[in-house]
């Protein structure tokens, strides 16, 4: 897979995630600037956090103006065509699953390339995928969906883990990347379709604090 | 403009922003420590985030004790003279606009000096100005005012953009810095005075989730 | 004190803090993944933030898999044995005080070793101790307990300050470390036992916004 193709896929993932941020912003009645901030945060916070943690400064999303451009584009389209984007909910969810798959495998590869140990490389891949959604939700004071949603982070972790395992077993990167992305996308797709989710702990009927 | 003058202005901006953090802390009934944390966060989080993103560690606000000192001073004054500071609301709002102007232009210059591309340098200038207020609000679980307020971030972005444009056009830095700060301050002042604000998206009457 | 002993104590502190994160996650009805995220965040966010601020990337908690392992262990135990851990509340509070003491002194030493000035080294020690709890609470959209709790951060700051003072006075590190940890633990223990807390500002009866 060429470097150029990877960049295109990365920007596509950013665009899709930025859409989810912009939708949240419009729903919470933020102004245009707020919507653009949520677009950028949802599209790039995962990758930025990963880059800060592995010491790759300035983060790609800051150094390369194209990440900013696609994030703004997603925000502006959503702001002025909100009804349209809302109606596209199914396509949006599918491309979100695709974005998650891509970010997870790309994030794991970048972490491996910076010499992280396998367990942390897999986790940083997952973080690349879920970080944007976490910041998006924290900014509108909502408990991050990913902490409660059906197999969202687990799908990302599975995809990233496959990349890391492929690296340990010296499988060609293109193969493990494709396999990881396919597994992540597949798991997420099945979770949406069949409502798969992780267990919650038994708290003996105790209510969460308000 | 000498280095010394810049430092004085930077510390003044920190002090004013720290006041806004301390006021929030007292209003939310935090204890003395909580008020001081909000003072420091509001006064310094924007600059710290910028420095982390451009790889300038340790951030100036951490390496130089004077940022801490003026933040604590603002917190302590507000804590023990709350009624007085509340009564000064108009002067506080004006100095906040001045702080915003200063942080935006200084942040953009620092980002340019670290070789960021023009678009990101302008955004990092804006982030320097608004980052502190965002963390302040997140810490008390409030949707950041800046995501909804009248031209706050836009004023900062305009000021930062003028600095960046001046750099591209090789205008002397002192000139573009003054022009950028004046535009930011002026925009913010007019927004407060006339209630200027950005549009919100039409959501077809849909209410935001509670 | 040998390097090995320090590592063991650091991992113990991480485990205890991770327990507090996991308890919060279970109480807020997060799923298994959410509980593990809160475990890791509560156990490691303080140290990670400190390492990012002093430029020590990748942070120890990311580079060394054992921090992850003990965090996951705490999360899994809490998830499947929630009732048991809740019943252990007193022991948990005591070990939390021990974890705070350890993180505060270790954090201050690491900051000194990276050449921070004394005031910031003490504050970074405190941040190491309280950062995890702040992120834990922000993620579940709660105002961080530490901003309102009885002498939590002050105990950490006192412990860290003793380490820094010892460094300035050239006391042997083992002595100031033990003294700092003892003071932090003692203060926190007394605060729990006698309900010591910091003053809140007089707001003239004004209610905090909802």
């Amino acid at each position: 897979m060429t470097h150029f193709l990877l960049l295109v896929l990365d920007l596509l993932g950013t665009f899709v995630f930025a859409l989810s941020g912009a939708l949240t912003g419009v729903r919470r009645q933020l102004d245009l600037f707020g919507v653009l901030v949520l677009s950028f945060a949802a599209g790039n916070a995962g990758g930025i956090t990963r880059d800060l943690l592995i010491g790759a400064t300035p983060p790609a999303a800051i150094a390369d103006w194209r990440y900013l451009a696609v994030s703004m584009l997603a925000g502006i389209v959503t702001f002025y065509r909100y009804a349209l984007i809302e109606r596209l909910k199914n396509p949006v969810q599918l491309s979100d699953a695709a974005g998650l798959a891509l970010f997870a495998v790309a994030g794991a590869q970048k972490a491996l390339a910076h010499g992280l140990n396998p367990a942390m490389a897999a986790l940083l891949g997952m973080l690349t995928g879920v970080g944007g959604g976490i910041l998006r939700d924290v900014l509108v004071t909502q408990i991050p969906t990913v902490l409660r949603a059906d197999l969202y982070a687990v799908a990302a972790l599975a995809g990233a883990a496959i990349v890391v395992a492929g690296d340990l077993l010296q499988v060609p990167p293109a193969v493990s990347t494709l396999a990881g992305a396919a597994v992540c996308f597949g798991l997420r797709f099945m979770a949406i379709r069949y409502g798969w989710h992780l267990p919650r702990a038994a708290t003996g009927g105790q209510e969460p604090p308000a």
Side-chain angles (χ1 to χ4, degrees), chain A:
Chain A
M1 208 182 301
T2 66
H3 183 71
F4 177 73
L5 184 55
L6 264 182
L7 177 67
V8 169
L9 291 174
D10 210 19
L11 291 174
L12 259 178
T14 304
F15 182 79
V16 177
F17 276 22
L19 280 185
S20 85
L23 283 173
T24 302
V26 171
R27 281 189 205 122
R28 302 300 290 252
Q29 304 270 324
L30 303 187
D31 66 19
L32 177 56
F33 170 76
V35 169
L36 294 179
V37 167
L38 281 197
S39 304
F40 187 79
N44 300 281
I48 289 177
T49 309
R50 176 205 58 214
D51 288 352
L52 288 181
L53 289 174
I54 63 180
T57 51
I62 301 289
D64 183 336
W65 62 273
R66 286 170 291 198
Y67 291 91
L68 174 65
V70 298
S71 305
M72 296 302 96
L73 183 64
I76 288 167
V77 168
T78 307
F79 191 80
Y80 289 107
R81 291 288 176 271
Y82 175 72
L84 177 70
I85 305 286
E86 272 291 10
R87 247 180 296 144
L88 293 176
K89 208 188 155 195
N90 275 345
V92 166
Q93 248 186 352
L94 281 193
S95 15
D96 183 80
L100 183 71
L102 179 79
F103 274 21
V105 297
Q109 275 178 329
K110 188 158 185 183
L112 284 174
H114 274 74
L116 275 277
N117 65 66
M120 287 314 304
L123 278 174
L124 284 177
M126 182 190 78
L127 177 66
T128 309
V130 306
I134 290 180
L135 182 56
R136 174 197 67 205
D137 293 348
V138 165
L139 283 176
V140 297
T141 66
Q142 215 169 276
I143 297 188
T145 327
V146 66
L147 299 183
R148 306 201 272 199
D150 25 29
L151 289 200
Y152 197 90
V154 170
L157 183 57
I162 286 174
V163 169
V164 171
D167 183 69
L168 289 174
L169 303 171
Q170 302 188 319
V171 174
V175 173
S176 61
T177 301
L178 282 175
V183 165
C184 174
F185 182 83
L187 267 177
R188 181 74 190 123
F189 180 79
M190 302 296 274
I192 294 172
R193 194 163 165 82
Y194 299 109
W196 289 354
H197 58 81
L198 288 181
R200 296 189 184 170
T203 53
Q206 189 191 337
E207 289 301 299

